Amino acid sequence: DADVTQTPRNRITKTGKRIMLECSQTKGHDRMYWYRQDPGLGLRLIYYSFDVKDINKGEISDGYSVSRQAQAKFSLSLESAIPNQTALYFCATAEGGNYGTEAFFGQGTRLTVV
Amino acid sequence: RKEVEQDPGPFNVPEGATVAFNCTYSNSASQSFFWYRQDCRKEPKLLMSVYSSGNEDGRFTAQLNRASQYISLLIRDSKLSDSATYLCAVYNDYKLSFGAGTTVTVRA
């Protein structure tokens, strides 16, 4: 089994619908991240969390919300999906500490909003 | 200005060639630097960390220039299997920020 698991792997949803993307990890890492990837724009940070009580906005948090239900689980919600949220979404985890360490990614969720 | 910027390429090189590209970062207080490899929109995977003194891993060499705020990646003796998108990543203020990626295609 993958250390970082994202569900669903693919999803097509309609404009205005609420959708939740889930991420779970077995690495025991404190830090978890949500990114979206669009062609030519690379990975852009949506939200990140250092522990269950610590949630931080990234560079493109508008239209998204997150929940850190446990150390191992970090969910991303689109409250009212719109077509420009069509993208590839990645969850990532990393150890804590003052200096960054290797981030481990889930396999991604390909989301299409029609 | 974006936190991390990369030359998008694409770099199209023959097998055996050397290819190098850079990544610039805007925050001089950035603490850690990495190169990730991404294949065909799959998940990124760590290629190597970048240390102040520069470091080498087989055919790959990474350099950090703090004065000019850039990191570089050099690939020697390119293989077909090196074809991928290379993402630089910079860690600061507890965030891990990525560049848009540099696409490398190695041709036979």
Side-chain angles (χ1 to χ4, degrees):
Chain A
D1 289 340
D3 293 324
V4 185
T5 303
Q6 291 184 233
T7 55
R9 294 289 311 280
N10 291 281
R11 181 73 180 266
I12 299 174
T13 192
K14 293 184 178 180
T15 297
K17 293 291 187 181
R18 183 179 189 273
I19 182 170
M20 178 182 288
L21 310 183
E22 299 191 357
C23 177
S24 62
Q25 52 119 342
T26 59
K27 299 194 73 68
H29 289 164
D30 289 327
R31 296 181 182 177
M32 298 189 75
Y33 304 84
W34 274 105
Y35 294 91
R36 67 175 279 176
Q37 186 172 38
D38 301 275
L41 295 178
L43 289 164
R44 292 185 291 166
L45 184 61
I46 306 173
Y47 272 95
Y48 58 106
S49 169
F50 295 152
D51 63 35
V52 175
K53 298 179 182 178
D54 186 279
I55 304 289
N56 303 278
K57 292 183 177 181
E59 59 182 303
I60 54 162
S61 59
D62 288 348
Y64 301 94
S65 63
V66 291
S67 174
R68 185 85 182 262
Q69 301 95 323
Q71 187 204 33
K73 296 183 182 295
F74 193 35
S75 301
L76 176 71
S77 294
L78 287 67
E79 296 301 326
S80 179
I82 56 177
N84 76 0
Q85 292 177 312
T86 294
L88 181 57
Y89 290 84
F90 286 107
C91 172
T93 74
E95 290 182 2
N98 291 330
Y99 294 92
T101 59
E102 178 181 0
F104 294 85
F105 285 81
Q107 293 176 292
T109 295
R110 196 171 298 276
L111 177 66
T112 303
V113 183
V114 297
Chain B
R1 181 183 174 187
K2 292 183 179 179
E3 287 197 52
V4 184
E5 297 199 63
Q6 289 185 248
D7 181 347
F11 290 86
N12 189 315
V13 299
E15 275 187 292
T18 296
V19 59
F21 40 89
N22 293 338
C23 164
T24 59
Y25 59 95
S26 61
N27 189 336
S28 60
S30 296
Q31 298 146 312
S32 306
F33 309 88
F34 308 89
W35 283 104
Y36 282 78
R37 172 189 170 129
Q38 186 177 30
D39 296 300
C40 296
R41 305 274 279 173
K42 294 186 177 179
E43 73 271 26
K45 294 184 179 179
L46 183 69
L47 177 68
M48 58 198 303
S49 301
V50 186
Y51 303 121
S52 296
S53 56
N55 48 300
E56 189 174 303
D57 183 0
R59 298 179 293 105
F60 296 84
T61 300
Q63 296 280 352
L64 167 63
N65 185 318
R66 283 195 180 272
S68 300
Q69 295 182 210
Y70 74 86
I71 63 174
S72 64
L73 182 67
L74 182 146
I75 307 173
R76 286 187 301 277
D77 188 22
S78 299
K79 310 293 185 190
L80 294 175
S81 58
D82 294 333
S83 296
T85 296
Y86 293 85
L87 304 168
C88 69
V90 175
Y91 185 82
N92 66 77
D93 292 335
Y94 306 105
K95 296 182 300 182
L96 185 61
S97 300
F98 286 82
T102 297
T103 300
V104 174
T105 301
V106 182
R107 64 182 188 274

